[in-house]
Amino acid sequence: MSAPLDCVIRNARLATASDTVDCDIGIRAGRIAMLGDSLPQGSREIDAAGRTVTPGGIDAHCHLDQPMEPPVRMADNFDTGTRSAACGGTTTVIPFAAQAKGASLKAAVADYHQRADGKAHVDYAFHLIVSDPTEAVLTAELPALIREGYTSFKLYMTYDDLKLDDGQILDVLAVARREGAMAMIHAENADCIAWLTKKLEAAGQTAPRFHSHSRPMLVEREATHRAISLAELIDVPILIVHVSGREAVEQIRWARGRGLKIFAETCPQYLFLTAADLGIDDSYLGAKCVCSPPPRDASNQQVIWDGLADGLFTVLSSDHAPFNYDDPAGKKPGGREVPFAYIPNGIPGIETRLPLLYSEGVLGGRITINRFVELTSTQPAKAYGLHPRKGTIAVGSDADLVIWDHREVLLSNAMLHHAVDYTPYEGMSLRAWPGLTMLRGQIVWDGKQFTSPAGGGQFLRCGMPSILPSGVGH
Ligand code: DUC
Ligand code: ZN
Ligand code: ZN
């Protein structure tokens, strides 16, 4: 006879990417051990009658404790960032070990492990950021790291300290093809942004709202098209991150229509914010919503919703990039209100990602619960080689689960668990919030309190991507 169950969640309405079924969930030794009716008694019993249970979220694009140029510093480290993730229903995060130009990629990974070790409250893997593809990186460091379980990396087409030229991108994509890794691309045209920024500064247009004028959709469209073309030349899949609106979406639909393996990610800021949140006058408060690409307008929000519903998007991530607003290490570098080009880019959102999409997407009737699971858990797990251990509810998978409470929630920063002094979604009224989050069978959020023992998160070595684009032909 098998050992007794550690926990049974009774009467769950269980939703995966493919099915919704009513059953009990039996958990033993941190994994799903049984699914069925009338399971035997567990050491712990949880009644989920009338409530939906989904796999724990996987936030496959977030920035935690990433080294920045002083005086700027991220507000969240692995302790506060993953605490916030857990309370918002996310049980796995994939932040970035970033290579500095002139430095080794391996050293960046070693440093990042030190930052996470013993501090993370949810499981975590690392993407790499390749900013200096030297011969040593291309022929030795990167292939070795991919084989060790760092099977995805991000490439930038903008930001002076990170960007690669087209030849360098081709070199790195060739490694991705050879090794079977997933390349993520930040697609914005750096020279156009620099040129527009110079013009805006010369005209004295330096308030936060001009950030969006310096990064219009065409700079994203051009870079998206170029990234697709470079990937086609190498014949390798890529994933375009943080897609913000119509013009990039059109490029991705075009590429899919040609049968190219182009994956795409979007983020809540492109569904719930617009350029107006960067300011309609020259107020510095708009700095709170300075991120790249910038939020667009209501019609572009609809384009992003359509892409979520119809299969264009592969994943929805937070791009949590946590900087305090009122802080010399944050949005006011050195304690000053600076021109937009010097405002640290990024907004917090690791805790609000799932509740926003569940509330306004699922309960708002825009996407099915199964598509919600696919976008926020199953496909990130497949794209980054964590499936089926993560990303689903199946016998043998980790018992990473969220039980959803359908209730009215008035969003405020005071209720969140990050270390950031604001949320861009302050005052929004939501229809649901995670009532319980479980990581490998342990409750880390009980609906009222963060309940994780210190540093219970484990490092995950990623396998190879196991995903094909859906929606080919869109
Ligand atoms: N844009 C990025 O590319 N990364 C972090 C935050 C942001 O706004
Ligand atoms: Zn980016
Ligand atoms: Zn990012």
Side-chain angles (χ1 to χ4, degrees):
M1 221 180 88
S2 50
L5 294 167
D6 300 327
C7 178
V8 177
I9 302 176
R10 302 251 169 228
N11 310 309
R13 169 142 294 189
L14 182 162
T16 65
S18 56
D19 303 297
T20 307
V21 289
D22 293 331
C23 69
D24 300 341
I25 305 170
I27 296 161
R28 189 187 298 119
R31 295 186 174 196
I32 312 283
M34 291 181 189
L35 296 170
D37 292 333
S38 309
L39 293 190
Q41 181 84 13
S43 305
R44 173 177 215 151
E45 293 272 323
I46 296 172
D47 186 11
R51 296 195 288 170
T52 298
V53 181
T54 58
I58 299 179
D59 195 342
H61 184 161
C62 55
H63 303 266
L64 300 175
D65 201 12
Q66 202 173 306
M68 298 276 118
E69 194 70 42
V72 175
R73 196 169 6 89
M74 287 194 168
D76 279 319
N77 57 20
F78 275 84
D79 171 20
T80 62
T82 60
R83 176 182 73 192
S84 185
C87 299
T90 288
T91 49
T92 300
V93 294
I94 319 182
F96 297 86
Q99 179 198 22
K101 280 200 201 288
S104 123
L105 188 55
K106 235 175 115 180
V109 172
D111 169 65
Y112 212 49
H113 270 292
Q114 284 201 340
R115 292 168 187 260
D117 243 15
K119 290 196 197 72
H121 306 291
V122 301
D123 288 352
Y124 59 98
F126 296 162
H127 302 296
L128 308 170
I129 290 176
V130 181
S131 70
D132 198 358
T134 59
E135 205 50 32
V137 166
L138 293 170
T139 59
E141 286 198 354
L142 184 54
L145 285 165
I146 293 169
R147 288 171 207 164
E148 284 168 31
Y150 308 88
T151 58
S152 49
F153 50 76
K154 186 172 175 191
L155 307 178
Y156 284 82
M157 300 172 87
T158 186
Y159 296 132
D160 288 344
D161 52 342
L162 296 171
K163 72 178 183 205
L164 305 187
D165 64 30
D166 291 355
Q168 291 173 312
I169 292 173
L170 289 170
D171 282 341
V172 186
L173 290 183
V175 177
R177 177 182 159 83
R178 212 164 45 239
E179 301 291 335
M182 179 65 82
M184 310 157 74
I185 303 199
H186 179 134
E188 287 184 295
N189 180 311
D191 285 352
C192 287
I193 295 167
W195 190 88
L196 287 166
T197 300
K198 221 162 96 185
K199 295 273 172 217
L200 288 160
E201 284 175 343
Q205 297 179 316
T206 60
R209 69 190 171 102
F210 292 107
H211 173 77
S212 67
H213 298 222
S214 74
R215 304 174 104 101
M217 282 206 287
L218 84 82
V219 312
E220 187 185 6
R221 179 233 297 164
E222 186 281 330
T224 300
H225 184 86
R226 186 156 36 102
I228 289 167
S229 303
L230 299 178
E232 184 177 1
L233 189 58
I234 300 293
D235 186 22
V236 68
I238 54 167
L239 187 146
I240 311 279
V241 294
H242 44 52
V243 171
S244 74
R246 182 189 314 281
E247 300 205 13
V249 163
E250 284 170 355
Q251 296 305 311
I252 295 161
R253 286 197 196 281
W254 170 81
R256 291 268 188 91
R258 303 182 71 208
L260 300 175
K261 292 190 181 70
I262 306 297
F263 300 100
E265 173 201 74
T266 193
C267 313
Q269 46 272 41
Y270 307 115
L271 298 168
F272 299 104
L273 301 178
T274 68
D277 290 298
L278 277 73
I280 46 174
D281 57 20
D282 286 354
S283 161
Y284 199 72
L285 285 168
K288 290 181 177 180
C289 294
V290 163
C291 62
S292 296
R296 307 300 182 182
D297 62 15
S299 72
N300 282 284
Q301 290 179 339
Q302 188 55 49
V303 169
I304 300 296
W305 277 118
D306 292 345
L308 288 174
D310 71 13
L312 180 88
F313 286 108
T314 317
V315 298
L316 179 122
S317 310
S318 69
D319 199 8
H320 179 78
F323 300 103
N324 280 325
Y325 173 68
D326 216 350
D327 188 345
K331 295 282 186 177
K332 297 180 181 171
R336 297 198 330 271
E337 296 188 355
V338 296
F340 71 81
Y342 301 93
I343 298 172
N345 279 205
I347 63 170
I350 204 164
E351 191 167 347
T352 46
R353 174 183 75 119
L354 295 179
L356 283 167
L357 192 68
Y358 190 98
S359 174
E360 301 313 296
V362 179
L363 300 183
R366 294 175 169 105
I367 57 171
T368 65
I369 183 69
N370 312 99
R371 182 73 176 134
F372 167 86
V373 171
E374 185 172 64
L375 285 161
T376 58
S377 186
T378 311
Q379 290 194 157
K382 289 182 175 176
Y384 301 118
L386 295 170
H387 191 266
R389 177 175 173 188
K390 303 291 188 187
T392 190
I393 303 177
V395 171
S397 297
D398 281 357
D400 296 349
L401 302 167
V402 182
I403 303 179
W404 287 91
D405 282 349
H406 292 190
R407 63 184 169 93
E408 198 174 321
V409 175
L410 192 63
L411 234 175
S412 75
N413 199 50
M415 61 184 273
L416 301 179
H417 299 79
H418 57 196
V420 186
D421 62 1
Y422 75 98
T423 169
Y425 310 109
E426 188 75 35
M428 258 183 90
S429 178
L430 300 189
R431 305 171 227 217
W433 202 265
L436 181 145
T437 309
M438 187 177 270
L439 170 69
R440 283 181 277 100
Q442 300 290 319
I443 297 174
V444 291
W445 163 248
D446 67 7
K448 295 194 177 69
Q449 276 189 32
F450 172 63
T451 55
S452 165
Q458 291 180 359
F459 174 67
L460 304 166
R461 289 183 193 282
C462 294
M464 289 303 157
S466 60
I467 193 168
L468 285 171
S470 57
V472 170
H474 279 292

